[in-house]
Amino acid sequence: MEPDVSIETSCMIRIAVLPVGTVPASVLRDYFSMFLRHHTIPLAAISSFYTEHQKSPFAHQPWDAGSIRFKFLLGGAPPSPWEDFQSNRKILAVIGICHCPSTPDLDSAVEQFTAACKNYSSALVQRCFAFCPCDSQLEDGGKKEDVLRLFPPADHQTLDIHLQTMMQEIAASLLMDFEKWVLKAESAGTILKTPLDSQASLSSEEVLKAKKRRLGRAQKTIGDYCLLAGSPVDASAHYSTALELARLTGDFFWYAGALEGSVCALLMDRVGHVDVVLEDEVKYQYNNVILHYRKSFIQDNAQRVSPLSFELEATLKLARFLCRSKLSKDVVELLTNAADGGKSLIDVNDRLVLFVEIARLFGTLGYQRKAAFFSRQVAQLYLQQDNKFAATSAMQVLAMTTKAYRVQSKASVSDPPCTKKQTGPSHTDSGKMHHHLIVSLFESQWSTLQMVVLREILLSAVRAGDPLTAWSAAARLLRQYYPLITPAGQNGLASALNNSAERLPSGTRSADPALPFVRLHSFPLHPSQMDIIKRSPAREDWWAGSAPSGPFIYTPFSKGEPNDNSKQELVWIVGEPVQVLVELANPCAFDLRVDSMYLTVHSGSFDAFPISVDLPPNSSKVITLSGIPTSVGPITIPGCTVHCFGVITEHHFRDVDNLLLGAAQGLVLSDPFRSCGSAKLRNLSVPSISVVPPLPLLVSHVVGGDGAIILYEGEIRDIWISLANAGTVPVEQAHISLSGKNQDSIISIPYETLKSVLPLKPGAEVILPLTLKAWQLGPMDFEIGGGRAATSGSTGRQFKNASVPTLLIHYAGPSTDSEDATIAKVSNLPPGRRLVLPLHVCVLPGMSLVKARLLSMEIPAHIGDGHPKPVHEEEDPASETVEESDRKMEKRLVKIDPYRGSWGLRFLELELSNPTDVVFEIGVSVQLDGTDDNNLPIDQDGNSEYGYPKTRIDRDYSARVLIPLEHFKLPVLDDSFFMREFCNEGSTSSSRSPSFSEKNTKAELNASIKSLISRIKVRWQSGRNSSGELNIKDAVHTALQTSVMDVLLPDPLTFGFRLTRDNSSPQQESGSKDSVLANDMAPMEVLVRNNTKEMIKMSLGISCRDVAGENCIEGGKSTVLWAGVLNGITMEVPPLQESKHSFSLYFLVPGEYTLVAAAVIEDANDVLRARAKTDSPDEPIYCRGPPFHVRVLGTA
Amino acid sequence: MATTASFIIVSRNDIPIYEAEVGSATKREDAAQLHQFVLHAALDIVQDLAWTTSAMFLKNIDRFNDLVVSVYVTAGHTRLMLLHDSRNDDGIKSFFQEVHELYIKVNFLQLGCSVHVLVFHLSIVEKN
């Protein structure tokens, strides 16, 4: 059988094209392709070379429209035993190709050619074409005109024309030879035999039969020559005679041959005008041909020779003819029959040719799967031959089937196979397009077929010695079908990969990735130290509104779609290393070593750092691939380059994504990552990455260590933060802001310090001082912290990072690179950065206030010489020296002045507990209004401050601190405080809204309480470094709320007693100056001070009681005598003045006595009534002074 | 029914969703592979043929050596394909109809579920 047969084959003249001498393969190919262009020579063109020697037997030769056709066989072909039967099988001309530059000796070339021609006995014309001869060769070659044709060096076109002329000459000589042959054959007749009838012993009957048949066969052969000569009408005439004769003699084989020839003649005659009628005719005739070939099958020589190949060839010819008009059903039928017939073919090569042709025809029909099926049959036939060339052929044929089986190498696919014919009629369903797309990507369910094909490719490639193809096939097999391959098989493939790689030069690349599977895991965000913030050029605070600010991921007010992931952008910076996390999976049963692996960036603007990885069997691993962007602009990372199993391959992330998508839809066998136990990854959208020019980079650390700063509640501490520019660009703008919880714990922020050091050059450093005040722990924090501290006993860790305040430093480099920046450039403003600096403050529960309450105390005063100084008398600084005043103040604040009435003295008691394991020292200080007294030490607030001695509280102890509130009393009881209340009470009929004034009053009250509270400060200190302030405000506020009036407002009248000694009388040594002797007259004075702004009239009374509380002035058992008035003393005290009343007492019995002054105020005004909280205006207002003690000493 | 047979259901996306080697002949691996190759190639024929006829059962549409392919094309263009070596057309047709019924039932119950596939498989093996 012959390859590439068609009906028209019968009219083609075969010309062997032989290389002569040394012809380089590429040159030979070039020359041969030149020949191929001249496969058809019009008869009209050869007339100049044609001379009619005698009358031409081709009477109806179409000189104007006809043509002669050539079929060039490079390298020639062995003579066929069927040459007599089909004249077109003869090689009728031989052309030698001689390349003169490589074959200098033309003589030997001619000899060689002549020798070669001897193998072609049927050749009528021999020519040797010598290309590119040199001058000497030209001269030399001119002598051998008969065989040698010289083609002087010329350009391609000229050469082509030259060649065309030569071919026309050949065609003319062939035509003349055909004429001769036909004339000879018609007259003499020739013996024409085929292998079918060349029996050794012919019976006489058969000889007779053969003679009869001879005439018919001669006519058939003449018809063949007519066809070759390009005269179909003549051919038709001879064929019809031949058919007649063959039928008569029962020569079915030749009948079929003649019929075949007549169909060819018909087609030649009607060239270019194929219609349905002609098609049907051809079909009918050829079916006849096939039938007759089958009829000619003779049983007795079937083992040796069979007309089957002619039958099959005829079938293929018809199929090829019908293929053109796409009568696919008929073609399929014919090809199926041919394939069936192939079983009976004796010669393996015939079967090979048959299957090749069937595959080609199916391919032409568009039946790719059928074509692939027969191609594989061809490959199997090749593989049965045990030689390297057959294996190479098998490999190449299999490579053609890979597309149909969807296992093609990536090297052969330029575009992803998006549009597939197979989707067919359902293609219109656009909603399913996506699904179809994926389906077309993975038709891996035909896994059995695919694995078989890949395995065969591997086998043939190994046999053919093509390591790269073998590697690629093994890689595809392993990567796509690992779940279907046993561990032993996987190991086998791994060793096949390694063996192939050993034969490859190092650094070989393959288009098909093997293992591992690589998918994009994530793009780690910039660490908060390196955040990049887009700058809005128009604004001073350029960072505002650019980054997602605030705690909400989604805000209904933000424009656009926040869920639009495609807009995700990533900014990389030239010269700063970046990282990309990828996940690798090795689902196979062997240890996988990835020799090197790095990110692939095609633009070349990225320096990737290769790493090597070891993956144990059935494992996955997330690794970090890093690199440095080197130039500004957008950058894409399609995948990574992997050097594994000795070959470099490129792994695209998209492929694995598709694979995983396919796995999710059940189209792919297995998800390699899941089978390795890796968690399902959310769909990661690859952000668009842009690279920007270098930016400044601030790095920070806390001076003295970056560890957590441990503070007790309320502790105040200074810290220093060092900022250094680690970038290559100076920082030109910087701004500090706060975020996070407990922002108010940062007391001072050094805005100015930072501003003053700008621009901060690369490498420069600045230290920012910061004052922190530890915040109060909430009840939650307390529980956690307390629990931990109790259980672990350690100082505790930071409770929650969330409660830590954060320092945000926005900074940026120079806004433009050059001065001549235009508006366009402004939009390209390089971004700024943000340094997020969480202050790692760990707040421990410190000193805590358990309770604050107000206490009243009665501490009786002693009557002495000195005039009891009312509190407010010190307002007159002239009365005493400054030193005395200081001393007294100090004294008074520290302890109670025993000579002053301290009845109803009020204290604020603070109960403090120390739950920690350190010692605290508590210092209470009280501020006084600096305006009152400018002699006092004045602090920065303009207020005087007094400190009480420190109180030490040991660990796990509680302590109480008393703060006297006496000096907070207002100096004057005036109506301003009550005015509104009176207005309210007095004029209920007035138009003013009572609620309004009530509110006002309350507000004023609250204000005064607040000012009172704010003047009390409780500071603590622990160890050398820790100090802070206790937050007591709320507790004090509640403690004072109810009785603030009593604290703040002075009594309308204050009373005091003193002894009025005669200074001249000798001082008594036995007692102190504040004691009185019994049985002696003790002159005394009672001092009444009016604290109001009104004159007060009163009726004063003095009583004296002994230790038992008995009145010892009146009654029967009175032990005290007196001089002067003690009861019903009517006094008038002018506003803010004191009045004295003198009297004398004579104590009969030594001991302790108590003197109390009391007064009934007459004609009390509203202020007094309000102060006394009287119910009715008629009620007398009674004022009582504090008790004074008098110690009476005995005379003995 | 048949001495050698291979049954396959191909979805309309040309993906095989079910495969079974049925029949009484001894099962060999390379034979099973060949069966699949033949069936895969026959899809080309079915693809053209299915649109030329209204019949669902397309008998003997393709053959290779002694193996004949018969196809039953459902309305949803799912193809039930049987590779067989005998010519019991009626038996094959009724087999296809029963399988089609089963297929519709199972389709309602999601073919993806392995239990149903098992039931389906057993039913098909039983039918042969």
Side-chain angles (χ1 to χ4, degrees):
Chain A
M1 278 189 73
E2 289 184 340
D4 203 17
V5 287
S6 65
I7 294 176
E8 288 87 351
T9 311
S10 306
C11 63
M12 289 176 182
I13 299 167
R14 291 193 184 182
I15 298 177
V17 178
L18 308 172
V20 177
T22 327
V23 186
S26 60
V27 177
L28 184 65
R29 209 175 297 129
D30 277 353
Y31 290 143
F32 188 67
S33 65
M34 275 167 63
F35 280 104
L36 289 179
R37 275 199 288 276
H38 304 293
H39 58 82
T40 303
I41 308 290
L43 283 173
I46 66 169
S47 54
S48 55
F49 301 100
Y50 174 75
T51 42
E52 194 171 19
H53 296 287
Q54 44 202 310
K55 184 161 171 49
S56 169
F58 310 132
H60 305 282
Q61 193 136 34
W63 280 99
D64 46 350
S67 57
I68 286 179
R69 293 156 200 229
F70 293 140
K71 183 174 182 177
F72 299 101
L73 304 174
L74 186 61
S80 160
W82 305 92
E83 278 180 355
D84 276 355
F85 176 61
Q86 288 175 330
S87 302
N88 66 303
R89 285 179 189 257
K90 288 176 188 165
I91 291 190
L92 294 168
V94 182
I95 296 176
I97 294 178
C98 179
H99 186 61
C100 292
S102 59
T103 317
D105 189 357
L106 283 179
D107 289 332
S108 70
V110 170
E111 270 172 35
Q112 200 189 333
F113 175 66
T114 320
C117 284
K118 289 206 172 97
N119 296 326
Y120 301 94
S121 56
S122 57
L124 302 172
V125 177
Q126 289 109 13
R127 299 278 187 277
C128 185
F129 291 172
F131 294 94
C132 304
C134 61
D135 291 346
S136 62
Q137 285 170 326
L138 266 176
E139 214 171 284
D140 191 31
K143 297 164 194 164
K144 305 178 188 70
E145 272 293 314
D146 51 338
V147 190
L148 197 66
R149 296 283 184 277
L150 294 171
F151 286 72
D155 62 276
H156 204 267
Q157 204 178 353
T158 319
L159 213 58
D160 207 41
I161 293 168
H162 197 164
L163 187 64
Q164 190 183 14
T165 317
M166 288 297 163
M167 294 313 295
Q168 286 166 354
E169 193 261 336
I170 288 175
S173 349
L174 279 170
L175 181 58
M176 290 187 281
D177 279 324
F178 290 162
E179 283 173 357
K180 271 184 225 161
W181 192 92
V182 168
L183 286 172
K184 196 179 82 188
E186 269 184 329
S187 58
T190 41
I191 308 294
L192 297 163
K193 281 184 190 170
T194 64
L196 276 177
D197 43 23
S198 65
Q199 280 87 357
S201 57
L202 284 174
S203 60
S204 59
E205 193 186 338
E206 279 177 335
V207 171
L208 201 70
K209 204 174 163 188
K211 272 182 186 169
K212 275 187 199 165
R213 287 178 174 179
R214 204 182 64 192
L215 207 57
R217 294 186 179 185
Q219 283 298 319
K220 194 257 169 195
T221 312
I222 292 168
D224 284 350
Y225 274 101
C226 291
L227 271 184
L228 294 177
S231 174
V233 180
D234 289 314
S236 253
H238 287 288
Y239 280 134
S240 52
T241 319
L243 283 171
E244 202 68 22
L245 290 168
R247 200 175 67 232
L248 287 173
T249 52
D251 199 357
F252 296 123
F253 189 64
W254 285 79
Y255 181 89
L259 203 56
E260 235 185 309
S262 70
V263 175
C264 179
L266 184 67
L267 283 179
M268 265 185 86
D269 196 29
R270 304 274 291 278
V271 63
H273 304 285
V274 181
D275 54 15
V276 183
V277 181
L278 181 68
E279 245 170 40
D280 286 346
E281 175 67 18
V282 171
K283 207 160 98 182
Y284 172 75
Q285 296 282 11
Y286 247 92
N287 280 330
N288 229 347
V289 170
I290 295 164
L291 195 70
H292 279 90
Y293 275 130
R294 202 171 291 157
K295 263 191 197 169
S296 63
F297 181 77
I298 304 160
Q299 195 57 51
D300 55 354
N301 61 6
Q303 292 302 313
R304 189 174 50 84
V305 67
S306 147
L308 180 63
S309 60
F310 286 90
E311 183 196 330
L312 296 177
E313 261 183 30
T315 312
L316 292 177
K317 283 176 183 174
L318 179 58
R320 175 154 288 152
F321 175 74
L322 294 177
C323 228
R324 278 177 281 200
S325 47
K326 298 277 179 194
L327 294 164
S328 53
K329 201 175 172 185
D330 294 317
V331 178
V332 168
E333 183 70 39
L334 286 168
L335 293 178
T336 312
N337 286 336
D340 274 351
K343 279 186 293 184
S344 321
L345 279 174
I346 303 157
D347 191 353
V348 179
N349 282 328
D350 279 354
R351 207 182 298 164
L352 201 64
V353 171
L354 176 71
F355 283 153
V356 167
E357 289 299 307
I358 293 176
R360 286 176 68 184
L361 287 171
F362 271 126
T364 330
L365 215 55
Y367 285 8
Q368 298 303 330
R369 286 172 278 198
K370 271 282 183 193
F373 177 81
F374 283 102
S375 300
R376 186 176 159 264
Q377 296 294 322
V378 171
Q380 285 194 318
L381 288 174
Y382 273 127
L383 282 175
Q384 281 166 15
Q385 306 172 21
D386 202 8
N387 67 62
K388 194 177 163 181
F389 295 112
T392 310
S393 302
M395 189 182 84
Q396 285 168 351
V397 170
L398 283 171
M400 289 191 281
T401 68
T402 52
K403 196 178 173 223
Y405 291 119
R406 307 275 171 82
V407 286
Q408 65 257 60
S409 161
K410 275 203 181 147
S412 63
V413 193
S414 48
D415 293 321
C418 288
T419 48
K420 280 283 169 193
K421 189 175 169 287
Q422 274 80 352
T423 44
S426 56
H427 206 93
T428 45
D429 189 358
S430 60
K432 296 276 181 188
M433 266 303 280
H434 186 59
H435 182 69
H436 280 280
L437 194 79
I438 299 162
V439 168
S440 66
L441 284 172
F442 312 100
E443 210 184 327
S444 57
Q445 299 286 327
W446 292 101
S447 45
T448 317
L449 313 189
Q450 291 166 330
M451 284 171 70
V452 168
V453 169
L454 284 175
R455 203 173 56 210
E456 282 170 359
I457 292 177
L458 174 60
L459 184 71
S460 58
V462 168
R463 231 188 258 180
D466 185 343
L468 187 58
T469 309
W471 196 95
S472 154
R476 277 178 275 167
L477 199 53
L478 192 59
R479 186 177 175 89
Q480 290 173 37
Y481 305 104
Y482 67 89
L484 301 177
I485 303 174
T486 57
Q490 291 175 353
N491 277 320
L493 283 174
S495 57
L497 285 168
N498 285 325
N499 290 341
S500 303
E502 274 171 23
R503 295 169 181 216
L504 288 167
S506 68
T508 305
R509 284 177 176 265
S510 169
D512 298 299
L515 294 176
F517 291 91
V518 184
R519 71 172 166 187
L520 205 53
H521 186 269
S522 59
F523 287 91
L525 292 172
H526 287 284
S528 59
Q529 299 272 323
M530 300 160 80
D531 267 347
I532 293 170
I533 306 290
K534 209 172 158 191
R535 279 158 95 176
S536 47
R539 303 177 62 161
E540 182 64 29
D541 50 344
W542 47 263
W543 56 89
S546 53
S549 54
F552 302 108
I553 295 165
Y554 171 77
T555 46
F557 308 110
S558 65
K559 283 181 207 163
E561 290 184 356
N563 292 336
D564 195 358
N565 285 333
S566 62
K567 285 190 177 173
Q568 215 179 7
E569 271 189 26
L570 206 62
V571 176
W572 285 356
I573 297 151
V574 170
E576 286 186 20
V578 292
Q579 294 183 330
V580 175
L581 293 184
V582 296
E583 188 170 15
L584 309 183
N586 169 25
C588 291
F590 48 81
D591 279 309
L592 182 67
R593 171 156 183 84
V594 179
D595 294 321
S596 83
M597 182 170 178
Y598 53 90
L599 294 171
T600 310
V601 174
H602 291 302
S603 58
S605 57
F606 188 80
D607 284 343
F609 304 145
I611 59 163
S612 67
V613 189
D614 281 308
L615 282 167
N618 279 313
S619 68
S620 64
K621 201 184 253 182
V622 176
I623 61 163
T624 307
L625 294 178
S626 50
I628 295 182
T630 53
S631 68
V632 177
I635 207 169
T636 51
I637 299 180
C640 50
T641 307
V642 172
H643 187 238
C644 187
F645 290 118
V647 169
I648 300 168
T649 52
E650 204 161 291
H651 293 238
H652 290 283
F653 297 134
R654 194 186 55 207
D655 293 344
V656 175
D657 288 346
N658 288 337
L659 184 77
L660 300 182
L661 202 61
Q665 301 201 4
L667 297 170
V668 182
L669 298 164
S670 165
D671 178 344
F673 291 94
R674 193 181 291 180
S675 67
C676 289
S678 169
K680 187 170 161 52
L681 203 64
R682 83 230 177 284
N683 248 349
L684 179 80
S685 66
V686 179
S688 57
I689 302 164
S690 55
V691 180
V692 297
L695 297 179
L697 175 64
L698 285 183
V699 289
S700 69
H701 71 269
V702 176
V703 175
D706 275 330
I709 305 157
I710 297 169
L711 298 177
Y712 291 106
E713 284 174 301
E715 182 170 346
I716 296 166
R717 191 182 288 181
D718 288 335
I719 58 169
W720 290 270
I721 291 167
S722 148
L723 291 179
N725 184 2
T728 54
V729 176
V731 179
E732 298 214 333
Q733 301 176 18
H735 179 266
I736 303 179
S737 55
L738 294 175
S739 85
K741 285 185 176 175
N742 297 313
Q743 287 185 24
D744 52 354
S745 64
I746 299 171
I747 299 171
S748 75
I749 299 168
Y751 297 107
E752 289 314 311
T753 317
L754 187 58
K755 282 271 187 295
S756 63
V757 296
L758 294 177
L760 194 63
K761 292 266 184 304
E765 191 181 14
V766 59
I767 290 176
L768 305 177
L770 215 64
T771 309
L772 281 181
K773 180 182 175 192
W775 57 90
Q776 295 295 314
L777 291 173
M780 278 278 255
D781 298 332
F782 236 133
E783 262 171 41
I784 298 163
R788 277 197 198 167
T791 49
S792 64
S794 72
T795 47
R797 296 254 48 83
Q798 48 202 112
F799 305 130
K800 269 186 217 162
N801 248 345
S803 63
V804 164
T806 305
L807 218 55
L808 298 180
I809 301 176
H810 290 90
Y811 60 99
S815 54
T816 43
D817 297 334
S818 51
E819 288 303 313
D820 56 341
T822 52
I823 299 160
K825 197 118 191 229
V826 172
S827 65
N828 263 338
L829 201 61
R833 288 192 127 157
R834 180 178 63 184
L835 174 68
V836 177
L837 186 61
L839 295 171
H840 293 294
V841 177
C842 173
V843 178
L844 297 179
M847 213 47 228
S848 65
L849 180 73
V850 178
K851 193 159 62 174
R853 56 180 173 167
L854 197 65
L855 294 179
S856 298
M857 279 193 191
E858 279 185 31
I859 302 174
H862 287 266
I863 298 173
D865 277 351
H867 196 292
K869 297 275 190 243
V871 178
H872 305 290
E873 205 155 272
E874 297 124 25
E875 284 164 18
D876 181 12
S879 64
E880 280 168 301
T881 58
V882 173
E883 289 83 3
E884 265 178 340
S885 170
D886 274 358
R887 190 180 49 81
K888 283 211 167 180
M889 277 293 179
E890 224 170 289
K891 258 195 153 175
R892 191 197 62 200
L893 284 164
V894 172
K895 51 187 172 187
I896 300 144
D897 182 359
Y899 299 103
R900 223 192 107 233
S902 51
W903 182 260
L905 194 64
R906 283 185 173 81
F907 294 93
L908 186 64
E909 186 201 63
L910 300 176
E911 187 177 344
L912 302 171
S913 86
N914 176 8
T916 65
D917 45 10
V918 291
V919 176
F920 279 89
E921 282 189 336
I922 302 295
V924 177
S925 68
V926 174
Q927 287 176 359
L928 292 182
D929 291 339
T931 47
D932 291 354
D933 196 335
N934 40 23
N935 296 322
L936 302 174
I938 291 174
D939 66 10
Q940 51 193 2
D941 299 332
N943 290 335
S944 338
E945 227 179 80
Y946 290 98
Y948 290 90
K950 287 189 170 144
T951 310
R952 182 186 151 105
I953 307 178
D954 282 338
R955 40 189 283 197
D956 292 332
Y957 274 89
S958 297
R960 293 176 189 194
V961 180
L962 288 179
I963 304 167
L965 297 175
E966 204 61 15
H967 53 273
F968 290 109
K969 278 197 194 297
L970 296 171
V972 179
L973 179 70
D974 65 0
D975 51 356
S976 68
F977 215 83
F978 299 102
M979 193 48 82
R980 298 221 172 72
E981 223 170 317
F982 300 142
C983 286
N984 198 12
E985 282 174 15
S987 55
T988 40
S989 58
S990 80
S991 60
R992 290 184 68 177
S993 153
S995 64
F996 174 75
S997 56
E998 259 171 36
K999 242 185 235 167
N1000 266 357
T1001 315
K1002 210 149 201 186
E1004 212 159 297
L1005 197 66
N1006 278 336
S1008 55
I1009 296 171
K1010 246 179 212 164
S1011 77
L1012 189 155
I1013 290 164
S1014 65
R1015 281 151 65 190
I1016 303 172
K1017 287 214 159 60
V1018 179
R1019 296 217 171 85
W1020 54 261
Q1021 193 175 3
S1022 171
R1024 197 179 296 167
N1025 295 325
S1026 303
S1027 64
E1029 199 175 312
L1030 207 58
N1031 186 5
I1032 53 164
K1033 285 182 182 172
D1034 293 341
V1036 174
H1037 193 271
T1038 45
L1040 294 184
Q1041 186 74 47
T1042 49
S1043 49
V1044 70
M1045 290 273 221
D1046 296 332
V1047 174
L1048 285 177
L1049 294 181
D1051 291 328
L1053 298 172
T1054 43
F1055 302 91
F1057 289 93
R1058 67 172 172 191
L1059 299 174
T1060 49
R1061 281 186 216 274
D1062 193 355
N1063 275 343
S1064 59
S1065 68
Q1067 198 76 30
Q1068 317 237 344
E1069 298 89 34
S1070 56
S1072 59
K1073 59 178 182 174
D1074 50 353
S1075 56
V1076 176
L1077 288 176
N1079 298 317
D1080 192 8
M1081 187 62 86
M1084 288 184 185
E1085 278 179 340
V1086 62
L1087 294 150
V1088 181
R1089 185 185 159 87
N1090 180 359
N1091 287 326
T1092 69
K1093 289 184 174 172
E1094 308 281 328
M1095 172 80 82
I1096 292 179
K1097 254 178 97 178
M1098 73 189 109
S1099 158
L1100 180 72
I1102 297 159
S1103 62
C1104 180
R1105 294 171 191 278
D1106 60 11
V1107 185
E1110 297 285 326
N1111 192 341
C1112 42
I1113 294 175
E1114 291 165 352
K1117 292 188 212 165
S1118 59
T1119 54
V1120 179
L1121 306 177
W1122 73 93
V1125 192
L1126 287 185
N1127 275 319
I1129 314 148
T1130 305
M1131 271 179 108
E1132 277 193 10
V1133 189
L1136 301 177
Q1137 295 288 323
E1138 277 182 354
S1139 289
K1140 285 186 234 174
H1141 170 75
S1142 301
F1143 62 93
S1144 296
L1145 292 179
Y1146 187 89
F1147 297 97
L1148 300 174
V1149 180
E1152 292 264 331
Y1153 294 87
T1154 304
L1155 286 175
V1156 175
V1160 176
I1161 298 172
E1162 292 164 10
D1163 304 331
N1165 60 13
D1166 291 339
V1167 179
L1168 293 177
R1169 284 192 190 285
R1171 178 69 183 93
K1173 295 175 185 163
T1174 49
D1175 294 331
S1176 68
D1178 303 331
E1179 203 176 313
I1181 294 170
Y1182 183 73
C1183 275
R1184 183 168 167 269
F1188 277 70
H1189 277 206
V1190 181
R1191 189 182 299 155
V1192 180
L1193 304 174
T1195 48
Chain B
M1 180 180 82
T3 50
T4 302
S6 182
F7 177 67
I8 196 165
I9 299 178
V10 182
S11 79
R12 62 186 207 140
N13 302 318
D14 286 356
I15 295 175
I17 51 181
Y18 176 79
E19 297 170 22
E21 283 290 318
V22 287
S24 50
T26 49
K27 295 177 175 73
R28 287 169 52 213
E29 196 194 351
D30 55 342
Q33 285 171 5
L34 180 67
H35 294 171
Q36 283 222 11
F37 272 106
V38 173
L39 285 166
H40 178 259
L43 280 173
D44 271 335
I45 314 280
V46 182
Q47 182 189 309
D48 274 9
L49 210 59
W51 301 100
T52 60
T53 171
S54 61
M56 292 174 114
F57 176 52
L58 310 171
K59 63 175 180 183
N60 304 342
I61 55 137
D62 195 15
R63 64 180 193 276
F64 183 74
N65 297 346
D66 324 318
L67 302 166
V68 184
V69 180
S70 292
V71 182
Y72 188 90
V73 185
T74 70
H77 208 66
T78 301
R79 282 142 296 175
L80 316 180
M81 302 177 81
L82 186 70
L83 186 80
H84 53 96
D85 55 2
S86 70
R87 301 248 168 174
N88 180 5
D89 287 344
D90 290 341
I92 291 170
K93 191 174 180 180
S94 60
F95 167 74
F96 273 140
Q97 281 165 348
E98 285 174 43
V99 171
H100 188 205
E101 270 181 41
L102 264 174
Y103 173 73
I104 289 168
K105 280 184 203 163
V106 171
N107 235 4
F108 274 118
L109 303 167
Q110 295 286 310
L111 196 64
C113 175
S114 56
V115 175
H116 295 302
V117 171
L118 186 63
V119 172
F120 185 68
H121 181 77
L122 291 174
S123 318
I124 282 177
V125 170
E126 198 178 300
K127 296 238 178 309
N128 284 281

